[in-house]
Amino acid sequence: MSGKNMWKGCAIALAVYMVLAVAFYWIAGDQLRFREERTDCVSASEPIGELVQGMEIRQPFVAAAEEIRSVDMRLSTYQRVNSVRVLVSIVDGDQAVLAQAELSGADIEDNAVRTIPFAQPAQVTPGKRYELVLASPDGAPGNAVTAWQGSTISTARAELPVEITERLLVDGAAREGMLHYSLLTRSYFWFGSYYWYLVLGLGLLLAGYGACLCRLAGQGRSSACLRLAAAFQRYGYLMRQLVARDFKTKYKRSMLGVLWSFLNPLLTMLVQYIVFSTLFQSDIPNFPLYLLSGIVCFNFFSEATAMGLQSIVGNAALITKVYVPKYIYPVSRVFSSAINLLLSLIPLLAVMLLMGTPVRPAMLLLPFGLVCLVALCIGMAFVLSTLMVFFRDTQFLWGVVSMLWMYMTPIFYPESIIPDQYMLLYKCNPLYHIIRFVRILLIDGVSPEPKAYALCLLASFVPLALGAAIFKKHQDKFILNL
């Protein structure tokens, strides 16, 4: 590639980078700057009693975020109009009021969950103990409201008891349960605060690296990046032919042909949906979309790695006669499987529409998750194709490993069933992070938090780098074992 073309290519790449950076900030929105969550609450099983003057209801809790913006709780009026005031406060260990809201009894609906916002959010420290305090300066018997307490949590199947670590205090006396309440909390990310500085810094690094590449190309010198770009430019036509051949061969003599790219994930989802939503009564919200998104991602992973495993051995006749960079074969196999992945997104979108899930701008971030998934598959294809050359039993072992991998990935079950002591090991599964990323976009309709992007990059490009290193180290010995 000439120096002039390199300058042009680098300028286009830098312009695309800036456009993507601006679009990403617009699409991701507030999820780049902070995370809002609602704490879990117990079921409201019984009223505490009339909140009269001089009475205090205190619910201790440990802060899990940096800011408390509002509180939800069930209040009852005993089916009457009460002319009282209710004070809701957040206090620290020194009883200093961090946030307070005042309610009018006349505005409270009977047995309704009320969202109580604080005019100034409470600034708290994660891990420290605070108290939610309810009081009424003018409450009296027959003219007062009541809050609710409980000791169980509601699920789709039953009411389950919960371990009460912070018991409810009424006038200093501990109750058997806790207040029925939920806090809206917010935690801030440094990534959002410094986003544009990071974009500018990375842009300068890319511009500098591009200038170095242009200078090397102008001087006729080479580098790893230039050699890779030249190889894809030179062998691009061959790669397209290999991708087309693999894709056509898969559906050769099949009556339905490409339709299986639509039917396979749908039929798999239908069977698993019947089993897990009916027989096992799955309580996962939006279970069809949850299930199909996991099936689509794992089916691609399974197909791409299985095809990549045979990429070197299956092209032995071509490799021994014609020189072509050997990494093109596993890469082309993964790319041919990626066509099926793109086709399977159509039934995924159809299920979204049938389930009434709104299509939001966050879906425009889906290519990031798909690129990470393709990168992971290429890395695995490098490793498996290398092993297959020297150890032909790899294809049989991989069938068992891929089945085990499927059960270790939350495709048809929620991750909440995994015991806490095993979660760290469980999250070492690269597919866990990629599938979770895709589900947040599709089901929640928002961008994941910045940490999710970093984990997806680690889960995909670290295996890619390791796979490329293993493949490169052993590729010269392939011809002796084919």
Side-chain angles (χ1 to χ4, degrees), residues 39-49 51 57-61 71-75 88-90 116 131-134 146-152 162 164 166-170 175-183:
T39 59
D40 295 330
C41 64
V42 296
S43 300
S45 58
E46 60 177 318
I48 297 173
L51 183 60
I57 298 174
R58 291 179 173 267
Q59 176 59 62
F61 66 92
V71 57
D72 288 5
M73 66 176 64
R74 182 184 296 276
L75 297 173
V88 181
S89 309
I90 302 290
I116 307 168
E131 288 183 329
L132 174 65
V133 182
L134 274 68
T146 181
W148 289 70
Q149 68 180 44
S151 58
T152 62
V162 295
I164 306 297
E166 299 289 352
R167 295 168 66 185
L168 175 66
L169 302 174
V170 179
R175 294 284 189 97
E176 292 297 329
M178 61 186 299
L179 183 68
H180 171 80
Y181 78 107
S182 177
L183 299 174

Side-chain angles (χ1 to χ4, degrees), residues 15-169:
V16 170
Y17 164 76
M18 294 305 299
V19 170
L20 291 177
V22 173
F24 176 64
Y25 188 80
W26 174 74
I27 296 171
D30 291 337
Q31 278 68 36
L32 292 182
R33 298 187 292 112
F34 57 80
R35 176 179 63 243
E36 281 192 345
E37 291 181 314
R38 286 198 178 276
T39 59
D40 295 330
C41 64
V42 296
S43 300
S45 58
E46 60 177 318
I48 297 173
E50 287 187 308
L51 183 60
V52 299
Q53 184 179 7
M55 176 181 175
E56 277 192 342
I57 298 174
R58 291 179 173 267
Q59 176 59 62
F61 66 92
V62 176
E66 303 168 13
E67 194 175 88
I68 300 174
R69 304 185 66 82
S70 67
V71 57
D72 288 5
M73 66 176 64
R74 182 184 296 276
L75 297 173
S76 296
T77 65
Y78 296 99
Q79 297 182 348
R80 66 193 178 207
V81 177
N82 299 287
S83 58
V84 295
R85 292 175 295 153
V86 178
L87 299 180
V88 181
S89 309
I90 302 290
V91 301
D92 60 14
D94 298 326
Q95 299 306 303
V97 177
L98 305 180
Q100 189 173 77
E102 180 176 311
L103 298 178
S104 171
D107 297 333
I108 297 175
E109 296 182 17
D110 191 39
N111 289 330
V113 176
R114 178 72 179 265
T115 298
I116 307 168
F118 297 113
Q120 294 294 331
Q123 305 299 323
V124 295
T125 302
K128 287 192 63 176
R129 192 171 181 269
Y130 299 88
E131 288 183 329
L132 174 65
V133 182
L134 274 68
S136 178
D138 51 3
N143 184 29
V145 299
T146 181
W148 289 70
Q149 68 180 44
S151 58
T152 62
I153 189 168
S154 178
T155 67
R157 301 179 185 178
E159 289 287 333
L160 302 178
V162 295
E163 181 181 357
I164 306 297
T165 57
E166 299 289 352
R167 295 168 66 185
L168 175 66
L169 302 174

Side-chain angles (χ1 to χ4, degrees), residues 273 283-293 351-352 355-358 442-444:
Y273 177 75
D283 56 358
I284 300 175
N286 206 342
F287 183 64
L289 186 55
Y290 179 94
L291 178 61
L292 186 57
S293 58
V351 170
M352 282 187 63
M355 295 301 298
T357 304
L442 298 179
I443 299 176
D444 298 336

Side-chain angles (χ1 to χ4, degrees), residues 309-326:
L309 183 147
Q310 296 283 352
S311 59
I312 299 299
V313 175
N315 289 287
L318 187 59
I319 292 174
T320 54
K321 295 178 181 178
V322 181
Y323 172 76
V324 176
K326 298 178 182 64

Side-chain angles (χ1 to χ4, degrees), residues 363-383:
M363 282 189 60
L364 296 175
L365 299 173
L366 189 60
F368 177 88
L370 299 183
V371 168
C372 289
L373 183 58
V374 170
L376 171 63
C377 292
I378 292 175
M380 291 300 301
F382 281 149
V383 175

Side-chain angles (χ1 to χ4, degrees), residues 36-37 78 115 174 216 263 277 350 356 370 388 418 421 451 471:
E36 281 192 345
E37 291 181 314
Y78 296 99
T115 298
L216 290 175
L263 293 176
S277 67
L370 299 183
M388 185 64 181
I418 306 299
Q421 61 267 32
K451 182 180 177 181
F471 189 89

